[in-house]
């Protein structure tokens, strides 16, 4: 059965591997909570540290945006920008 998901690419700041250290545990704890609630399907950073990729199963793009905008990585400047794309999950 097809379902709608929202894919977010969060652009990482220059030096993000170091910049994220003070915020990483808070960020990951929230990600685990969202995953446990079923809202977060996948999250991880590209190995070149250019961006993070997150896949949300939420009711709207606005809901995905609210999650990103309130994340400590966004507030602390670890993410400098993001793009949200709606996809239909087939498998």
């Amino acid at each position: 059965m097809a379902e709608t998901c929202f894919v977010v690419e969060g652009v990482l700041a220059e030096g993000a591997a170091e910049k994220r250290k003070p915020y990483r545990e808070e960020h990951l704890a929230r990600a685990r909570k969202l995953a446990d609630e079923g809202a977060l399907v996948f999250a991880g950073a590209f190995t070149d540290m250019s961006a993070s990729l997150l896949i949300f199963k939420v009711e709207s793009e606005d809901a995905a945006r609210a999650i990103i905008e309130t994340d400590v990585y966004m507030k602390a400047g670890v993410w400098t920008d993001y793009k949200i794309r709606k996809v239909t999950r087939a498998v």
Side-chain angles (χ1 to χ4, degrees):
M1 176 182 276
E3 64 183 330
T4 300
C5 295
F6 296 89
V7 176
V8 177
E9 185 173 333
V11 178
L12 288 166
E14 185 75 28
E18 285 298 315
K19 188 171 189 160
R20 71 181 178 178
K21 284 183 179 180
Y23 313 103
R24 188 160 169 73
E25 188 48 47
E26 180 181 345
H27 170 75
L28 293 176
R30 184 170 188 235
R32 285 188 290 272
K33 181 179 182 288
L34 289 165
D36 289 347
E37 293 170 352
L40 182 61
V41 176
F42 174 91
F46 290 103
T47 57
D48 66 1
M49 292 300 292
S50 62
S52 299
L53 182 70
L54 303 98
I55 301 174
F56 294 103
K57 191 170 80 172
V58 292
E59 64 278 358
S60 67
E61 184 175 327
D62 286 341
R65 179 174 286 103
I67 292 169
I68 295 299
E69 291 282 339
T70 58
D71 192 280
V72 67
Y73 274 14
M74 196 70 192
K75 291 179 181 180
V78 177
W79 287 327
T80 59
D81 198 7
Y82 64 91
K83 181 178 182 179
I84 300 176
R85 297 181 71 185
K86 185 176 179 179
V87 297
T88 300
R89 179 177 162 177
V91 177

